Amino acid sequence: MGIKFKRVDFKYQGFDEKGYLALSNINLSIKPTGEFITLIGETGSGKSTLVQHMNALLTPSSGEVDILGAIINQESIKKKKIRLNPIRQKVGLVFQFPEYQLFEETVLKDIIFGPKNYGVSEQEATKRAKEIINIVGLNESYLSRSPFNLSGGEKKRVSIAGILAMDPDILILDEPTSGLDPVGRDELLKVFFDIHEKLNKTVIIITHDMNTVYHYAKRVLVMRDSYLVYDGDPVDLFTKKNIEHWNLDTPDLLKLTYEIEDHLKKPFKIRPRTQAQLLEMLKEVEA
Ligand SMILES: Nc1ncnc2c1ncn2[C@@H]1O[C@H](COP(=O)(O)OP(=O)(O)OP(=O)(O)O)[C@@H](O)[C@H]1O
Ligand SMILES: [Mg+2]
């Protein structure tokens, strides 16, 4: 029982009577544990819209989403049958723009808001907040500050802390590392990967960084013009043909691999996933 999309269309209503079709015929199945997925695609392709369906912030115009057994479709929405609270606790979503997520006077109040809402005592939630603020790369002195007076990267970290504090089963992060410096980005990615690996949780990350995709992801989803056009292995995605066809950036490790192949005038049999693997492949060539 994970998250399952069946023939989902979604239209933003508003700017004309037809609305704007942001998701078209999405079919997708995500396991409740053990996945590490990256979601990529050009700006405006529907990535944020897609993940907002995973915790029922947005609901399908047609088709249905099954979120851990709760069926979200036009009928269940009309009958108001859906209990949103358990969904929001189990499927934690960090927004692309942290401003949408931060609203309390202090960072501490912001982080403990979620857990308190789901029945954790103030004392216990505060203890958790003190641990988590360090995990996201800040320190306890931030807890008494106003979230509105922080830098963009700090806001991002606080909004991530607020979601981690709820200890969701499935963690979804909408461009969590945009606007961070490279060191901060790598540290945070390690945090997310640890959450996945040590706790066997499913983590889904939207990113424009192809190195993140190639290095971490076990599965990659590609959105294009409201359609899900690829769902599979990162190595199979980054063929020269696909890179050209979908206008993707080439991950650095693959760029290097292609350059070495050109130099050797001979393709390798496999694609390396890590630098260490590429080095091993080179040793074999020399031998
Ligand atoms: N509130 C809204 N009202 C109307 N149209 C919207 C709204 N939000 C998004 N859209 C449109 O829906 C499409 C998909 O938007 P979405 O935010 O899901 O894209 P995205 O892939 O996350 O892009 P980005 O990489 O820029 O974050 C875009 O064309 C966008 O203009
Ligand atoms: Mg987006």
Side-chain angles (χ1 to χ4, degrees):
M1 208 173 40
I3 302 178
K4 207 166 194 157
F5 285 66
K6 286 187 203 151
R7 296 189 303 277
V8 170
D9 287 340
F10 177 76
K11 245 182 202 173
Y12 282 107
Q13 301 296 341
F15 52 89
D16 66 23
E17 63 274 10
K18 282 211 307 240
Y20 183 87
L21 194 59
L23 296 181
S24 302
N25 192 27
I26 304 289
N27 293 286
L28 172 65
S29 197
I30 291 165
K31 294 192 194 117
T33 56
E35 294 226 55
F36 197 93
I37 300 173
T38 53
L39 169 54
I40 65 173
E42 286 169 5
T43 230
S45 56
K47 303 179 298 296
S48 295
T49 307
L50 182 70
V51 297
Q52 286 175 60
H53 279 73
M54 295 183 187
N55 77 346
L57 266 175
L58 295 175
T59 55
S61 308
S62 67
E64 73 175 39
V65 188
D66 176 342
I67 307 174
L68 305 171
I71 307 293
I72 319 282
N73 57 26
Q74 281 294 319
E75 198 192 345
S76 68
I77 297 160
K78 259 189 219 124
K79 289 189 183 155
K80 298 199 167 68
K81 277 206 310 207
I82 310 153
R83 289 177 59 231
L84 289 175
N85 251 2
I87 294 178
R88 300 276 160 79
Q89 190 274 318
K90 289 189 187 120
V91 185
L93 171 63
V94 176
F95 291 141
Q96 181 169 5
F97 305 104
E99 288 76 10
Y100 295 170
Q101 204 150 331
L102 304 172
F103 50 89
E104 293 278 0
E105 294 152 39
T106 66
V107 167
L108 176 68
K109 282 189 183 166
D110 242 313
I111 299 177
I112 66 176
F113 176 84
K116 270 177 64 189
N117 217 11
Y118 300 113
V120 178
S121 73
E122 176 139 0
Q123 202 187 6
E124 176 60 30
T126 304
K127 200 175 130 211
R128 247 192 234 178
K130 286 180 181 166
E131 289 163 16
I132 286 169
I133 197 79
N134 288 299
I135 292 177
V136 298
L138 300 174
N139 60 48
E140 280 188 36
S141 73
Y142 280 87
L143 292 174
S144 55
R145 292 180 60 180
S146 161
F148 304 102
N149 300 336
L150 302 176
S151 75
E154 289 165 338
K155 279 184 193 157
K156 198 124 222 182
R157 288 168 193 264
V158 171
S159 68
I160 292 166
I163 299 298
L164 291 183
M166 290 201 287
D167 192 26
D169 295 339
I170 297 176
L171 179 62
I172 305 169
L173 304 130
D174 194 344
E175 302 198 24
T177 56
S178 67
L180 298 183
D181 57 73
V183 175
R185 184 191 62 205
D186 290 346
E187 277 170 8
L188 264 185
L189 284 170
K190 284 199 190 94
V191 169
F192 304 142
F193 197 75
D194 266 3
I195 289 172
H196 156 70
E197 205 170 45
K198 293 191 182 138
L199 306 174
N200 197 32
K201 295 198 183 204
T202 285
V203 175
I204 303 167
I205 298 181
I206 297 182
T207 183
H208 287 281
D209 176 34
M210 296 306 125
N211 292 327
T212 301
V213 176
Y214 199 67
H215 189 75
Y216 287 101
K218 296 180 175 165
R219 177 179 175 193
V220 51
L221 308 174
V222 184
M223 288 294 293
R224 193 173 206 206
D225 293 338
S226 80
Y227 289 92
L228 179 64
V229 293
Y230 183 90
D231 177 355
D233 184 275
V235 176
D236 297 335
L237 171 67
F238 290 107
T239 60
K240 281 184 177 168
K241 195 170 143 225
N242 284 348
I243 287 170
E244 204 169 300
H245 181 60
W246 282 325
N247 199 15
L248 303 170
D249 268 346
T250 312
D252 290 339
L253 186 65
L254 269 187
K255 245 184 240 166
L256 187 60
T257 307
Y258 290 145
E259 276 168 26
I260 294 171
E261 281 180 337
D262 282 349
H263 183 75
L264 294 173
K265 298 193 174 45
K266 195 175 149 203
F268 292 111
K269 286 196 189 78
I270 55 164
R271 301 279 139 229
R273 285 303 294 273
T274 60
Q275 274 181 22
Q277 207 183 343
L278 178 59
L279 276 176
E280 283 306 311
M281 287 158 56
L282 281 172
K283 276 188 202 150
E284 274 171 35
V285 172
E286 277 169 15

